[in-house]
Amino acid sequence: MLEEIVKERLVVLDGAMGTMIQKYGLSESDFRGSRYAGVDVQMKGNNDMLNITKPEVIMDIHRKYLAAGADIITTNTFSSQRISQADYHLEADCAEMAYEGARIAKECAEEYSTPEQPRFVCGSIGPTNKTCSMSPDVSDPSARDLSYDELFDAYCEEVEALIRGGVDAIIIETVFDTLNCKAAIDASVQTMEKAGRKLPIMVSVTISDLAGRTLSGQTLEAFLASIADYPIFSVGLNCSFGAPQMLPYLRTLAARTPFYISVYPNAGLPNAMGQYDETAEQMAGEMEVFMKEGLVNIVGGCCGTTPEFIQAFAEKAKNYQPHRVVPRSETLWLSGLELLDVSPEVRFVNVGERCNVAGSRKFLRLIEQKQYTEALEIARKQVEDGALVIDINMDDGLLDAKAEMVKFLNLIASDPDIARVPVMIDSSDWEVIMAGLKCMQGKCIVNSISLKEGESTFISHAKDVKRFGAAVVVMCFDEQGQATSYERKIEIAERAYHILVEQVGMDPLDIIFDPNILSVATGIAEHDSYALDFIRATGWIRKHLKGVHVSGGVSNLSFSFRGINYIREAMHAVFLYHAIEQGMDFGIVNPATKVTYADIPADELSIIEDVILNRRQNASEDLVELAEKKRAEQEAAKLAASQGGKTVAVSDEVWRKESVESRLGYALRKGIGKYMDADLHEALEKYPHAVDIIEGPLMDGMNEVGSLFGAGKMFLPQVVKTARTMKQAVAILQPYIEAEKKEGAATAGRVLLATVKGDVHDIGKNIVGVVFSCNNYEVIDLGVMVPAEQIVAKARQLNVDFIGLSGLITPSLGEMVHVAEELQKAGMHIPLLIGGATTSELHVALKIAPVYDAPVIWTKDASQPPIIAARLMDRKQRKSYEDELASRYEQLRQQYQEKQAKLMSLDQARDNKLNLFGD
């Protein structure tokens, strides 16, 4: 019934239990009662035991909330599990506390329930006083106070008692560690299955600071990704803050989550004495903002709220419609501490391969020798080089793979630079996979499952993956063995797909097929088509098995050419270029690879493509000949070095002879910082101003990188290296730029720059900041992932003249619109400059300019903003410039509308189809 009511109207939750208990002034003896009079532990403060010793107090509180209009009351069982009750030596009584808490609440709810207003009981499950994701020991970041299995068992006991006591739903609240939350959801689902019940599961997370992260470090978006595949009824926010501080996070939930949304804030922020000063009337007005914007379905109160507050909320709730739930994401969400949204803009997810004891002798040695700090450096380096996911594999005959997997994953969790990206748990031992899953708060990838042991094992493993809310790599193996031909690859993939989707109930987005990348140019003719068969199978899978992804271990391809790195990397670049074109969007590769498709000389490219695409016989022989030539060059270079000469790659000899502009562009494209200092100092002698180098050859190089990336000839890790090199160049030029500024000159204006929320890309914004500085503007850079509310507040506080918004990914376009709307609501009239790879003048005209009364200007590149700013700062030019913008935007809107009007509807197109065969 709750499932139906929440669609029709706003549902009211009760308020704080602890705040109300304090009002009764209970003593130590009241808490103990006669039953616990002799227990040698202080009991006052253990509110859950009152279900046994003072049930009349708890019933009285429930009745007051019900009389105030609460549709849902929560049981007094926040800590009714053995983890928390161990502090009071009452582990043996926790199930009774949970049962009595549910029974008491149910009795009260039934007293007040009517056909017009049925009342419901939510079984409250708290996070416990321990965490699965963080170490209690600063000297040992891999240590844990609590294992997943211990917490899971404790929650199962509590949930079973709550169900037996008659609850109508479960609420997992005040979540500060997502792994604890996953254990609670897991326990709830499995306990319900055993009991033959299916109750709504509500989840409420608490944000630990205004940066919008949980205590265990996840962003709200990453948290949503972690729980998105569980059978959740609602997700929301509680505790931490007052209502106003929760507004931006509720907007994030409303825009992204496919569940109903709840909110029950504290009564404002605590004062110096830890008390809450807000009145019911004040807080009701703040809660009304959520209702008016259509952000919520369930409203209530946390710390400091009482029945008076709930009554005020209930009155407000009568006037508003509930939030309409948004559809599920059509892209795969993965997460570490941050969200990885595998959207079309990502193009290719580079899975770092170096933390694999089977593939890296260095990593194996470090793990064997327990040199974990150095092993973590390998993981960190992969993330720095652009890996979007890191693969972890501990399968070695001389290692305890399970123990090492747990140890290393726990260590990763303590390092935010690594933990921000999702993990791929890689093992051929299912026990190791399971142990790894129990360490991960984020949504990770399991590598892998297959049909080689039959359908029964395949289904069992797939259900385990689903239980932990993970994605999974599905290898194209079956009972007959490994698929090597195109036909076998697609046969196994189709069979596995139907089992996973139809029998297991897995979301296709969580399925990543690996059709087996096998070695080519081995000298065996049967192997010649392996690469092409993979590429063809990739195209078929992406076309016919909707929603899935395709991955592979790319290094397998070039196994025949071990020791000749150039050939291996060139083969990988060619293979990826064609495979990605067909839909391969994941790959286990070395993120530090240097060779791109565009780097390969035409004659070499032809030979390599002949092999990869199996275009002609004897192509392998030509590749072997090329490889021998490259090997000879390598050995000659080594010999020269051993004899005191300088080791210089052949390609280096060529590009170092070009003009300084060409050298700078090449260095950017390749991510080579080695010569940057010398080349920039040479350029400083040629160009009159340091900023001219940025606006000239460096920007030309960045534009070329953008073109190559857009054409699929460079991949994200290589672009990351480019961005790092560009930052290095700007840092070298910065002192010269500062020196050229006129001392004592009046500031031209004040500019606020920010990469919008949800976007971490900042190289373009940083360059704009430098260019503005060179033109004597004061620049305030808020960094990346900046919420709209922070932009508005800083703009007002600092009285800026311009705001510059940057974004690289498509979702940033919507966030830019949101920033403009918030500026409009705040009554501000500051010109807004829009820039970034996905932005366009048309989007500004159609979406941003119409919602903001001040000028909104699209900037094509970093050289334009100061020119635009100068026109807007000139009183004589500003009006005419604004008129030009308005006229231009109106023209773009009209052209767009005319173009859209020419498009037929689907039904019209079908009516107009070509009839070749008559009726």
Side-chain angles (χ1 to χ4, degrees):
M1 191 182 294
L2 179 60
E3 292 92 328
E4 296 305 316
I5 292 172
V6 77
K7 297 175 186 175
E8 299 167 1
R9 63 177 176 84
L10 285 166
V11 176
V12 180
L13 191 67
D14 61 7
M17 177 61 72
T19 300
M20 290 296 291
I21 288 173
Q22 288 174 16
K23 293 181 180 295
Y24 287 77
L26 300 177
S27 65
E28 176 72 17
S29 61
D30 289 324
F31 274 84
R32 289 174 176 271
S34 58
R35 177 166 170 176
Y36 299 105
V39 178
D40 189 24
V41 178
Q42 180 176 319
M43 293 295 174
K44 188 174 181 181
N46 185 8
N47 291 344
D48 294 36
M49 72 184 302
L50 297 173
N51 297 335
I52 297 172
T53 59
K54 280 286 182 183
E56 66 277 12
V57 170
I58 305 305
M59 293 184 83
D60 191 43
I61 293 169
H62 285 322
R63 287 174 178 137
K64 285 177 178 175
Y65 279 124
L66 289 162
D71 299 297
I72 302 173
I73 54 173
T74 53
T75 58
N76 179 40
T77 57
F78 189 80
S79 299
S80 294
Q81 30 62 29
R82 58 182 57 246
I83 307 298
S84 298
Q85 289 304 318
D87 290 347
Y88 302 98
H89 301 172
L90 297 182
E91 299 98 312
D93 296 346
C94 63
E96 183 182 356
M97 290 179 199
Y99 170 77
E100 287 299 324
R103 185 190 63 77
I104 290 166
K106 188 67 174 177
E107 183 178 328
C108 295
E110 288 177 346
E111 287 177 17
Y112 281 81
S113 191
T114 65
E116 296 75 28
Q117 188 181 6
R119 310 299 180 99
F120 304 94
V121 174
C122 240
S124 169
I125 295 179
T128 80
N129 52 3
K130 295 184 179 179
T131 166
C132 288
S133 291
M134 294 179 284
S135 172
D137 182 355
V138 292
S139 63
D140 182 6
S142 69
R144 295 293 181 270
D145 253 346
L146 185 67
S147 73
Y148 184 96
D149 288 335
E150 289 171 325
L151 185 57
F152 172 80
D153 290 342
Y155 278 142
C156 283
E157 184 179 23
E158 181 178 13
V159 174
E160 187 278 329
L162 290 171
I163 293 173
R164 198 158 32 88
V167 298
D168 303 297
I170 297 293
I171 185 163
I172 300 160
E173 55 183 339
T174 321
V175 172
F176 63 79
D177 178 351
T178 311
L179 189 53
N180 285 34
C181 175
K182 289 166 80 170
I185 299 172
D186 187 12
S188 299
V189 171
Q190 295 206 37
T191 304
M192 287 179 200
E193 286 179 1
K194 288 180 183 176
R197 302 286 302 280
K198 190 174 182 180
L199 304 178
I201 298 173
M202 302 165 66
V203 174
S204 186
V205 64
T206 184
I207 301 297
S208 65
D209 56 42
L210 289 175
R213 291 182 183 264
T214 63
L215 187 64
S216 59
Q218 279 197 312
T219 64
L220 187 56
E221 291 91 341
F223 171 77
L224 288 176
S226 299
I227 66 167
D229 289 325
Y230 288 101
I232 303 296
F233 174 71
S234 69
V235 66
L237 303 169
N238 78 291
C239 208
S240 295
F241 306 127
Q245 292 80 20
M246 286 188 176
L247 181 58
Y249 308 117
L250 272 181
R251 286 172 174 160
T252 296
L253 286 178
R256 305 202 75 154
T257 183
F259 311 119
Y260 297 112
I261 297 175
S262 66
V263 63
Y264 47 114
N266 296 339
L269 298 173
N271 59 27
M273 303 301 293
Q275 302 299 311
Y276 295 90
D277 297 326
E278 274 197 1
T279 65
E281 184 180 3
Q282 285 174 318
M283 190 171 176
E286 293 163 353
M287 297 288 281
E288 189 175 18
V289 175
F290 306 157
M291 304 176 198
K292 193 177 291 184
E293 286 196 29
L295 301 176
V296 291
N297 303 94
I298 302 163
V299 294
C302 201
C303 304
T305 60
T306 64
E308 183 185 2
F309 285 75
I310 301 309
Q311 185 173 4
F313 299 169
E315 286 300 317
K316 296 286 188 186
K318 293 175 183 177
N319 302 319
Y320 298 99
Q321 291 298 307
H323 166 70
R324 297 301 172 197
V325 177
V326 298
R328 279 188 170 273
S329 171
E330 295 182 357
T331 55
L332 169 61
W333 287 358
L334 300 168
S335 64
L337 295 182
E338 297 172 6
L339 171 69
L340 172 59
D341 184 353
V342 187
S343 63
E345 289 76 27
V346 173
R347 292 178 60 85
F348 181 72
V349 175
N350 181 11
V351 182
E353 66 176 358
R354 308 309 296 168
C355 292
N356 184 330
V357 295
S360 170
R361 277 182 280 184
K362 180 180 179 181
F363 186 71
L364 172 60
R365 174 177 56 79
L366 293 173
I367 297 298
E368 285 177 332
Q369 297 174 2
K370 310 298 181 186
Q371 295 181 22
Y372 296 111
T373 301
E374 293 82 356
L376 282 172
E377 282 300 322
I378 293 177
R380 187 178 297 107
K381 181 67 165 59
Q382 289 187 104
V383 177
E384 288 173 357
D385 284 338
L388 300 181
V389 176
I390 51 172
D391 179 85
I392 312 294
N393 183 299
M394 296 291 179
D395 287 358
D396 182 85
L398 299 180
L399 292 177
D400 181 343
K402 181 177 176 181
E404 295 295 354
M405 179 66 79
V406 170
K407 175 88 173 178
F408 198 68
L409 290 178
N410 285 347
L411 285 169
I412 283 175
S414 71
D415 189 324
D417 290 337
I418 306 171
R420 67 183 180 83
V421 304
V423 166
M424 179 178 280
I425 303 171
D426 185 353
S427 180
S428 57
D429 183 338
W430 198 249
E431 282 192 16
V432 176
I433 295 283
M434 289 293 285
L437 285 168
K438 292 172 183 177
C439 296
M440 301 307 301
Q441 67 167 326
K443 179 173 178 177
C444 56
I445 304 170
V446 167
N447 187 9
S448 60
I449 64 174
S450 77
L451 284 158
K452 65 183 177 184
E453 295 177 59
E455 286 192 9
S456 177
T457 299
F458 181 70
I459 290 170
S460 173
H461 288 172
K463 286 181 176 179
D464 285 338
V465 172
K466 193 167 183 289
R467 171 189 169 192
F468 289 94
V472 66
V473 174
V474 181
M475 300 296 298
C476 285
F477 284 75
D478 66 3
E479 299 87 343
Q480 298 173 42
Q482 184 179 46
T484 58
S485 68
Y486 164 76
E487 291 77 17
R488 286 273 292 142
K489 291 176 193 290
I490 66 171
E491 173 197 339
I492 294 172
E494 184 173 28
R495 177 187 171 199
Y497 177 85
H498 289 296
I499 293 170
L500 292 172
V501 174
E502 295 163 13
Q503 295 184 45
V504 179
M506 189 172 282
D507 186 338
L509 292 173
D510 290 333
I511 301 170
I512 305 168
F513 280 108
D514 185 339
N516 308 323
I517 298 176
L518 304 171
S519 299
V520 294
T522 63
I524 302 171
E526 290 80 3
H527 298 178
D528 290 349
S529 64
Y530 279 171
L532 180 61
D533 283 348
F534 180 98
I535 294 167
R536 291 178 61 212
T538 295
W540 188 93
I541 289 168
R542 291 303 301 269
K543 181 179 180 181
H544 293 91
L545 307 180
K546 298 300 183 186
V548 305
H549 304 271
V550 174
S551 180
V554 179
S555 61
N556 294 341
L557 179 81
S558 60
F559 191 73
S560 302
F561 298 93
R562 285 173 297 170
I564 313 174
N565 286 342
Y566 171 81
I567 291 295
R568 297 197 73 178
E569 291 189 7
M571 289 176 70
H572 300 166
V574 171
F575 174 82
L576 285 171
Y577 177 75
H578 292 285
I580 290 172
E581 204 173 49
Q582 289 299 308
M584 181 182 179
D585 53 355
F586 280 75
I588 303 177
V589 298
N590 181 2
T593 185
K594 296 176 182 176
V595 180
T596 69
Y597 184 88
D599 292 329
I600 305 169
D603 56 336
E604 296 178 6
L605 179 63
S606 177
I607 293 170
I608 296 170
E609 286 195 321
D610 284 347
V611 171
I612 298 300
L613 302 178
N614 196 21
R615 293 194 297 209
R616 62 181 176 83
Q617 289 185 340
N618 303 321
S620 296
E621 296 174 11
D622 291 344
L623 183 56
V624 170
E625 185 179 327
L626 176 61
E628 288 302 326
K629 177 184 172 186
K630 295 296 180 181
R631 188 198 300 276
E633 290 173 359
Q634 281 183 199
E635 291 174 354
K638 287 179 183 177
L639 180 61
S642 68
Q643 294 175 348
K646 186 179 178 184
T647 303
V648 181
V650 173
S651 58
D652 286 348
E653 294 175 356
V654 175
W655 78 274
R656 293 304 301 159
K657 294 176 182 177
E658 298 291 332
S659 67
V660 69
E661 290 84 1
S662 296
R663 296 199 305 272
L664 288 171
Y666 184 89
L668 277 182
R669 184 161 59 81
K670 298 286 288 178
I672 300 171
K674 181 179 176 183
Y675 306 102
M676 190 59 71
D677 191 271
D679 287 346
L680 286 173
H681 278 89
E682 182 181 335
L684 283 166
E685 295 178 7
K686 183 174 181 179
Y687 287 81
H689 302 289
V691 71
D692 296 337
I693 303 171
I694 292 175
E695 294 181 347
L698 291 179
M699 281 305 299
D700 290 343
M702 291 298 291
N703 290 336
E704 184 185 2
V705 167
S707 299
L708 291 169
F709 179 65
K713 295 178 181 178
M714 284 183 76
F715 306 113
L716 194 57
Q718 293 154 341
V719 176
V720 169
K721 286 171 68 179
T722 291
R724 192 178 301 123
T725 308
M726 182 66 174
K727 285 183 179 181
Q728 179 187 348
V730 171
I732 292 168
L733 292 172
Q734 192 72 46
Y736 297 93
I737 293 168
E738 293 297 325
E740 289 173 4
K741 289 184 181 177
K742 295 178 183 176
E743 283 194 33
T747 302
R750 184 175 286 173
V751 183
L752 184 75
L753 299 179
T755 300
V756 295
K757 183 180 177 185
D759 202 321
V760 298
H761 302 92
D762 66 353
I763 184 63
K765 171 180 64 63
N766 294 346
I767 295 169
V768 169
V770 171
V771 174
F772 261 125
S773 295
C774 294
N775 285 272
N776 218 35
Y777 286 85
E778 180 186 349
V779 177
I780 300 100
D781 189 341
L782 298 183
V784 301
M785 297 279 287
V786 187
E789 295 74 18
Q790 187 179 344
I791 294 169
V792 173
K794 278 291 182 184
R796 173 176 282 139
Q797 175 192 340
L798 300 173
N799 193 28
V800 300
D801 297 297
F802 304 96
I803 298 171
L805 301 182
S806 175
L808 180 70
I809 58 177
T810 299
S812 297
L813 299 176
E815 185 61 24
M816 289 175 176
V817 175
H818 175 54
V819 172
E821 290 172 338
E822 290 303 298
L823 288 167
Q824 182 73 13
K825 286 180 188 176
M828 304 183 83
H829 198 79
I830 301 170
L832 198 55
L833 307 178
I834 302 294
T838 56
T839 63
S840 68
E841 188 180 28
L842 181 60
H843 180 264
V844 167
L846 292 175
K847 300 292 185 180
I848 306 180
V851 302
Y852 187 41
D853 289 340
V856 185
I857 309 99
W858 176 64
T859 61
K860 185 178 181 181
D861 58 47
S863 64
Q864 288 190 335
I867 300 169
I868 294 165
R871 292 190 69 181
L872 289 168
M873 292 292 284
D874 187 329
R875 292 183 181 179
K876 294 178 181 178
Q877 291 193 54
R878 179 162 180 155
K879 180 66 169 64
S880 61
Y881 184 51
E882 288 184 9
D883 290 343
E884 283 176 31
L885 283 174
S887 175
R888 171 65 178 157
Y889 290 164
E890 183 58 33
Q891 181 186 10
L892 287 170
R893 286 190 281 265
Q894 287 180 3
Q895 289 173 351
Y896 179 79
Q897 289 165 1
E898 288 168 6
K899 185 177 179 181
Q900 293 300 108
K902 293 177 182 177
L903 296 175
M904 291 182 178
S905 69
L906 181 60
D907 288 339
Q908 288 173 323
R910 283 172 174 163
D911 291 340
N912 201 32
K913 68 182 178 182
L914 181 63
N915 188 347
L916 293 174
F917 305 107
D919 296 327

